[in-house]
Amino acid sequence: GKGPVLPILVIACDRVTVRRCLDNLVKFRPDKNTFPIIVSQDCGHNETYQIIKSYTDTDPTITVVRQPDLSEIPLTRAKVKFKGYYKIARHFRFALNYVFVTLKHEAVIIVEDDLDISPDFFEYFLGTYPLLSKDPTIWCISAWNDNGKKQLIDLSRPELLHRTDFFPGLGWLLKRETWLQLEPKWPQAFFDDWLRDPENTQGRACIRPEVSRTYSFGKVGVSKGLFFDMHLRYMQLNMEYIEFTKLNLTYLLKDVYDDHLTTLVASLPEQTAEEAKSRSGVEPVKVTYTSAKTYQKAAKKLGLMDDFRSGIPRTAYRGIVTCYIQGRRVYLAPGYQWTKYDPTWG
């Protein structure tokens, strides 16, 4: 039978470095018909448009659409500094409606114009896509590990994937039916944090990799480089080609995954964050927390991102954050009976 069509939606504005992004997509794309490329350009920047056009003029499977609404968004004085975030949310709404409503695609892979991709980026999404129809508790597939720094991941397991309650973004796959649920309530700004509120995604999860399949090279953007300098530049991009379409990924289905994770973490010996970081060993261990403060203290000590969105720690699943430090798996886990996230945290 015919396989799925998974268009790549490139979100562009005024960065001429979109060329680097498109070059990589073209270079690693295994099949033009399975992965047509749609560039949606906001900002009306002509130099960037001409660069995009140099691709669309020579390849019919690469197309460009321009965001028609370039009007200024009326904002109060206090919100003016967030103007970029309002424009991005408006652009995403336009671009996703274009792909799902105008072109009637079933699914889309969204990348922004400052992302590099791994050699197995397309294979990753092709292999994980069927999980969305097998498991209604998964709403997105992401190529990104928020704690994907070299010293926090198991580089010997590039095939390893995880469930997460924290929307990672940075290269992600979305189905049309999910978009049609999200679109009527789509926020005016900060849509990524809006997607991190379980109220908006019905408490469903995303899939994310152990080793990221995207890398952000964009230092210039709405978040002004600070986040890049502190975190993004240290992220590890996967370079090993994994044939995800040939792997058995049923371990990621909710019932299987939850049972295994709960049983495993309950059985692990406990250490302090200090011990987990400094003692050597190969057997997995857990570090527990009981409050937002103790979570942040342990996360900092382990070198993990220590922020929350809607009370959810980055990369957490059922309150558990996993990383890999000096040759062994470490689980930062609630030291109490976890039932749900507390939105007052952070």
Side-chain angles (χ1 to χ4, degrees), residues 20-35:
R20 172 166 164 180
C21 172
L22 288 169
D23 281 348
N24 275 317
L25 287 169
V26 169
K27 173 180 166 187
F28 292 124
R29 181 167 63 153
D31 183 85
K32 289 180 173 190
N33 299 318
T34 304
F35 302 105

Side-chain angles (χ1 to χ4, degrees), residues 231-242:
H231 298 288
L232 299 182
R233 66 191 292 178
Y234 300 107
M235 295 298 181
Q236 179 73 32
L237 178 66
N238 175 63
M239 281 308 178
E240 196 178 322
Y241 191 95
I242 301 296

Side-chain angles (χ1 to χ4, degrees), residues 31-51:
D31 183 85
K32 289 180 173 190
N33 299 318
T34 304
F35 302 105
I37 296 168
I38 302 157
V39 186
S40 180
Q41 191 202 0
D42 196 1
C43 315
H45 189 250
N46 191 48
E47 196 188 343
T48 303
Y49 179 65
Q50 294 309 324
I51 287 168

Side-chain angles (χ1 to χ4, degrees), residues 105-130:
H105 282 291
E106 280 303 307
V108 70
I109 298 162
I110 302 145
V111 296
E112 290 173 59
D113 59 357
D114 61 348
L115 289 183
D116 281 338
I117 60 167
S118 64
D120 61 356
F121 173 87
F122 294 95
E123 173 72 3
Y124 170 69
F125 284 109
L126 212 47
T128 52
Y129 177 61

Side-chain angles (χ1 to χ4, degrees), residues 49-314:
Y49 179 65
Q50 294 309 324
I51 287 168
I52 297 163
K53 242 176 105 28
S54 70
Y55 292 83
T56 61
D57 286 349
T58 54
D59 185 338
T61 66
I62 304 177
T63 53
V64 61
V65 62
R66 301 182 89 177
Q67 146 77 309
D69 184 0
L70 300 178
S71 63
E72 280 306 315
I73 298 168
L75 295 172
T76 61
R77 187 178 287 174
K79 288 181 177 171
V80 165
K81 62 177 179 287
F82 299 125
K83 183 173 77 170
Y85 294 100
Y86 281 81
K87 289 195 165 173
I88 288 170
R90 178 173 72 180
H91 184 197
F92 264 80
R93 176 180 238 154
F94 162 77
L96 288 166
N97 274 330
Y98 177 73
V99 169
F100 288 127
V101 181
T102 309
L103 301 181
K104 298 188 165 43
H105 282 291
E106 280 303 307
V108 70
I109 298 162
I110 302 145
V111 296
E112 290 173 59
D113 59 357
D114 61 348
L115 289 183
D116 281 338
I117 60 167
S118 64
D120 61 356
F121 173 87
F122 294 95
E123 173 72 3
Y124 170 69
F125 284 109
L126 212 47
T128 52
Y129 177 61
L131 290 168
L132 289 172
S133 45
K134 284 186 188 137
D135 185 344
T137 69
I138 301 169
W139 76 270
C140 93
I141 311 280
S142 169
W144 181 253
N145 174 1
D146 270 302
N147 284 312
K149 296 176 184 173
K150 193 183 270 169
Q151 64 273 27
L152 291 171
I153 54 176
D154 186 350
L155 283 166
S156 73
R157 299 283 312 278
E159 78 292 346
L160 181 62
L161 308 179
H162 306 270
R163 291 176 71 102
T164 177
D165 295 317
F166 189 101
F167 168 64
L170 293 183
W172 50 292
L173 186 152
L174 181 68
K175 276 182 84 163
R176 179 181 175 184
E177 61 184 284
T178 307
W179 172 244
L180 297 178
Q181 292 161 1
L182 298 170
E183 200 273 343
K185 308 174 289 181
W186 193 249
Q188 288 186 301
F190 304 108
F191 77 84
D192 43 357
D193 285 344
W194 183 83
L195 288 170
R196 289 168 182 146
D197 182 342
E199 295 268 308
N200 299 319
T201 51
Q202 288 122 22
R204 291 178 291 171
C206 292
I207 299 299
R208 61 133 184 122
E210 173 75 6
V211 190
S212 292
R213 262 61 189 183
T214 49
Y215 175 82
S216 172
F217 61 79
K219 191 174 167 173
V220 181
V222 286
S223 47
K224 294 287 185 291
L226 176 70
F227 197 65
F228 181 86
D229 277 337
M230 288 179 66
H231 298 288
L232 299 182
R233 66 191 292 178
Y234 300 107
M235 295 298 181
Q236 179 73 32
L237 178 66
N238 175 63
M239 281 308 178
E240 196 178 322
Y241 191 95
I242 301 296
E243 290 190 79
F244 283 103
T245 50
K246 295 189 175 162
L247 296 183
N248 179 356
L249 300 178
T250 51
Y251 72 91
L252 293 162
L253 301 175
K254 184 175 172 64
D255 294 347
V256 182
Y257 193 92
D258 290 12
D259 282 354
H260 176 257
L261 184 66
T262 315
T263 311
L264 172 69
V265 173
S267 74
L268 293 178
E270 196 176 325
Q271 288 188 354
T272 65
E274 186 72 70
E275 291 167 339
K277 185 123 175 114
S278 56
R279 288 187 188 173
S280 55
V282 288
E283 293 306 313
V285 294
K286 73 178 165 209
V287 174
T288 61
Y289 65 88
T290 52
S291 63
K293 216 183 209 91
T294 55
Y295 173 81
Q296 287 184 301
K297 200 177 164 195
K300 247 194 191 77
K301 179 62 72 184
L302 295 169
L304 297 163
M305 302 277 289
D306 65 349
D307 57 339
F308 305 94
R309 293 291 186 281
S310 300
I312 309 177
R314 252 174 226 272

